[in-house]
Amino acid sequence: MLVNAKEMLDKALAGHYAVPQFNINNLEWTKSILLACEEAKSPVILGVSEGAGKYMTGFKTVAAMVKAMDESLGITVPVALHLDHGTYEGSKACIEAGFTSIMFDGSHYDIAENVEKTKELVKIAHDKGISIEAEVGGIGGVEDGVASDGEKADPAECKMIAELGVDFLAAGIGNIHGVYPADWKGLDFDVLAAIKDQIGELPLVLHGGSGIPEDQIKKAISLGVSKINVNTELQLVFAAATRTYVEAGKDKEGKGYDPRKLLKPGTDAIIAECKNKIAIFGSGNKA
Ligand SMILES: [Zn+2]
């Protein structure tokens, strides 16, 4: 059964581990992630960007697929279906479509407008039992074609958004989406500690979890990060495994071109990478 993400993140904060958000792109991604999390007994948040939602022909398709697959695979771990970096309109559409959690990303508005829109969506989401994440300070990199420099969040602004009743908060601390550049300066733990000081017992979300060194991940969890988003790394391992299969000519052997065979190395790689992340985040056997 799909659940909202509040309880799993409150438990993660209390238990000093982080729940993975793995973003999905299609049926294979969803199946691989669910199987990996079931095997590792980890709660999981399936992230869907607006672009991925469009690619899968709409939020209703995504909700129907995820609900049906959760049942047909006999998944017993808590699974939340979560909109990633939602617009105001996208957030409302996902609430209607049957998502169990949303992120409204109002970080590109001025703080007054971010507060106003977040407040309205908190009410709409909570009336339906749906959890909501908000964002302060842009995450660097490119998400669905929108570039951001990775502005660090203002702790006072985090407090304003936290007080609106959001269930968890994304705050920029030098993290970026996509592949980290060689000269990346690392996470800013002083800013993270200052934010934590202002928001109390509200779980924090670390976006751009792909490629952050393990010691920084663990320190971030110790300072109150309870959800870590991973998208790029699953794409990279899928692409690399598929490349190896094709370059070895395996698609030309027998019926190696059958999509169930062609995509198997990539999906196996996704499963392995999910388990690797669960081990680092400490969320295994927490479901
Ligand atoms: Zn993000």
Side-chain angles (χ1 to χ4, degrees):
M1 204 182 74
L2 301 189
V3 296
N4 77 34
K6 179 171 169 49
E7 190 183 334
M8 63 172 92
L9 292 187
D10 286 346
K11 277 186 185 170
L13 182 64
H16 308 290
Y17 59 92
V19 174
Q21 172 181 314
F22 294 124
N23 279 43
I24 61 172
N25 292 288
N26 56 22
L27 182 146
E28 282 76 13
W29 246 253
T30 311
K31 181 178 168 187
S32 303
I33 293 164
L34 288 177
L35 288 173
C37 293
E38 180 66 24
E39 202 182 320
K41 293 285 173 265
S42 170
V44 64
I45 296 166
L46 299 177
V48 181
S49 69
E50 295 205 355
K54 265 187 207 137
Y55 174 79
M56 289 183 272
T57 75
F59 296 132
K60 283 184 182 169
T61 309
V62 177
M65 175 184 73
V66 169
K67 277 182 188 168
M69 201 185 288
D70 185 67
E71 279 180 35
S72 58
L73 290 175
I75 301 298
T76 62
V77 300
V79 177
L81 177 59
H82 180 75
L83 172 66
D84 192 24
H85 291 283
T87 59
Y88 179 80
E89 290 307 322
S91 296
K92 286 185 166 176
C94 283
I95 291 169
E96 286 305 311
F99 278 47
T100 59
S101 189
I102 57 165
M103 175 195 189
F104 168 60
D105 181 355
S107 63
H108 50 287
Y109 294 117
D110 62 44
I111 186 66
E113 193 165 3
N114 191 358
V115 164
E116 185 190 330
K117 288 189 159 67
T118 300
K119 189 175 175 184
E120 189 185 332
L121 288 167
V122 165
K123 167 128 185 46
I124 296 170
H126 284 177
D127 281 351
K128 294 209 167 191
I130 291 167
S131 51
I132 176 168
E133 172 180 349
E135 178 168 330
V136 179
I139 314 293
V142 177
E143 183 97 339
D144 279 350
V146 180
S148 157
D149 290 334
E151 148 206 6
K152 288 174 192 169
D154 174 349
E157 290 186 357
C158 291
K159 185 168 192 239
M160 289 168 76
I161 296 285
E163 284 172 346
L164 301 175
V166 299
D167 298 292
F168 31 103
L169 180 71
I173 54 167
N175 43 323
I176 63 171
H177 293 121
V179 177
Y180 282 80
D183 62 351
W184 179 54
K185 292 184 180 63
L187 298 176
D188 189 328
F189 293 110
D190 292 338
V191 170
L192 176 52
I195 292 167
K196 185 64 193 158
D197 213 42
Q198 291 295 314
I199 65 168
E201 292 303 301
L202 186 66
L204 277 166
V205 181
L206 183 62
H207 283 245
S210 295
I212 297 176
E214 194 172 328
D215 60 327
Q216 292 191 40
I217 292 277
K218 289 191 166 152
K219 188 163 181 191
I221 292 172
S222 77
L223 289 169
V225 164
S226 309
K227 168 176 177 279
I228 302 176
N229 294 7
V230 175
N231 185 11
T232 304
E233 253 165 337
L234 298 187
Q235 299 182 5
L236 291 172
V237 297
F238 177 87
T242 306
R243 177 193 301 274
T244 301
Y245 181 88
V246 171
E247 285 183 350
K250 298 221 172 124
D251 57 315
K252 294 179 177 168
E253 293 170 8
K255 286 196 173 176
Y257 54 82
D258 179 328
R260 279 171 265 170
K261 292 182 177 162
L262 177 63
L263 301 179
K264 187 162 192 313
T267 53
D268 284 349
I270 290 175
I271 291 173
E273 188 55 34
C274 287
K275 288 183 187 166
N276 180 32
K277 287 287 179 268
I278 287 165
I280 296 170
F281 299 172
S283 64
N285 295 314
K286 303 288 188 193

